[in-house]
Amino acid sequence: MAKYKNIVVLTGAGISAESGVATFRDNGGLWEQHRVQDVATPEAFARDPELVQRFYNARRQNVGSVEPNAAHVALANLEQASDTHVTIITQNVDDLHERAGSKNVLHMHGELCKVRCIHCNSVHHWQGDCTQQTKCPKCGAMPALRPHIVWFGEIPFYMDEIEDLLYKCDLFVSVGTSGTVYPAAGFVNAINAYGRAHTAEINLEPSEGISNFAEARHGKAGDLLPVFVEEIIRSGEP
Ligand code: OAD
Ligand code: ZN
């Protein structure tokens, strides 16, 4: 287990697919029957906040009813088993990594279980529904709360921290992401430019960024990731 000191795992919708959470690009361009631009942009929220709130309330409810799968558990095991520093950078807004036991998780696209006040900027843990009639628990404004989600056209969270992690890492694994949404899709290029890390992709099918990875395994994350993690733990390298 000594070979790698700093492991970064980038995860996308594909890692939660086997838990029953819909991915973004496998359904004819629709995400849960909606066009992304109708529910996941600041313009959509300005135009029809009730619709956007209802959409994210439904996503929040759905995620509460599903469980982590073998791929989430494998990553939690990697973090616990190793004397290596493991960070998960996830594009997912569900909390399945945390519920599988991972501690070191950066949600670069936000979290379903949080809402944010557009007036005082306070962030609140949230279960159940949030509407335009819900008051901000901190400043009392109404309407005030929006999903704590990074929408298209907004800047992802933790970018400084992520840049530092990519610079330091010696193993970069990308799991269940189509490699189409930036900046996450460009992380592998940054790592290749530093020239220090082994890179591996684990995805159902070759991603857009496949040619940038040194190694690729294609199939279900729930089948492949436990094997991959076991190899790292046992031999120090995949
Ligand atoms: P996508 O839906 O674009 O890609 C999911 C990928 O997972 C696809 O390449 C699938 O082939 C693969 N996949 C599906 N099932 C899998 C399985 N069981 N095991 C392994 N791989 C599987 O999702 P993301 O790449 O995560 O952004 O999308 C990136 C961002 O675009 C999202 O975070 C979201 C979206 O719009 C925001 O909401 C800001
Ligand atoms: Zn407030």
Side-chain angles (χ1 to χ4, degrees), residues 48-59 129-131:
D48 193 346
E50 308 277 0
L51 170 75
V52 174
Q53 297 278 20
R54 275 201 306 276
F55 179 78
Y56 282 97
N57 287 340
R59 302 282 74 70
D129 289 352
C130 176
T131 71

Side-chain angles (χ1 to χ4, degrees), residues 117 120 122 136 139:
C117 176
C120 72
S122 58
C136 169
C139 74

Side-chain angles (χ1 to χ4, degrees), residues 156-174:
F157 300 139
Y158 307 111
M159 285 312 294
D160 289 347
E161 212 169 327
I162 289 171
E163 208 174 293
D164 198 45
L165 285 163
L166 299 183
Y167 182 73
K168 286 190 190 137
C169 88
D170 47 18
L171 173 62
F172 176 72
V173 190
S174 173

Side-chain angles (χ1 to χ4, degrees), residues 34 38-42 44-62 111-112 114-119 126-136 141-149 151:
H34 292 273
D38 292 337
V39 288
T41 62
F45 189 62
R47 197 168 48 234
D48 193 346
E50 308 277 0
L51 170 75
V52 174
Q53 297 278 20
R54 275 201 306 276
F55 179 78
Y56 282 97
N57 287 340
R59 302 282 74 70
R60 192 178 300 119
Q61 200 169 43
N62 173 249
E111 294 170 78
L112 275 175
K114 292 181 182 168
V115 297
R116 180 168 84 241
C117 176
I118 59 172
H119 301 289
W126 212 260
Q127 289 177 322
D129 289 352
C130 176
T131 71
Q132 292 300 92
Q133 286 74 48
T134 313
K135 279 187 183 155
C136 169
M142 185 196 89
L145 302 173
R146 59 162 278 179
H148 190 51
I149 301 282
W151 287 324

Side-chain angles (χ1 to χ4, degrees), residues 82 102 116 160 225:
S82 63
S102 288
R116 180 168 84 241
D160 289 347
L225 203 53

Side-chain angles (χ1 to χ4, degrees), residues 184-202:
F187 290 171
V188 66
N189 298 103
I191 284 168
N192 286 336
Y194 300 137
R196 273 192 294 273
H198 180 63
T199 56
E201 156 171 307
I202 293 178

Side-chain angles (χ1 to χ4, degrees), residues 61-83:
Q61 200 169 43
N62 173 249
V63 157
S65 69
V66 302
E67 297 297 328
N69 66 57
H72 299 103
V73 172
L75 291 180
N77 289 344
L78 180 65
E79 187 179 316
Q80 275 146 27
S82 63
D83 48 2

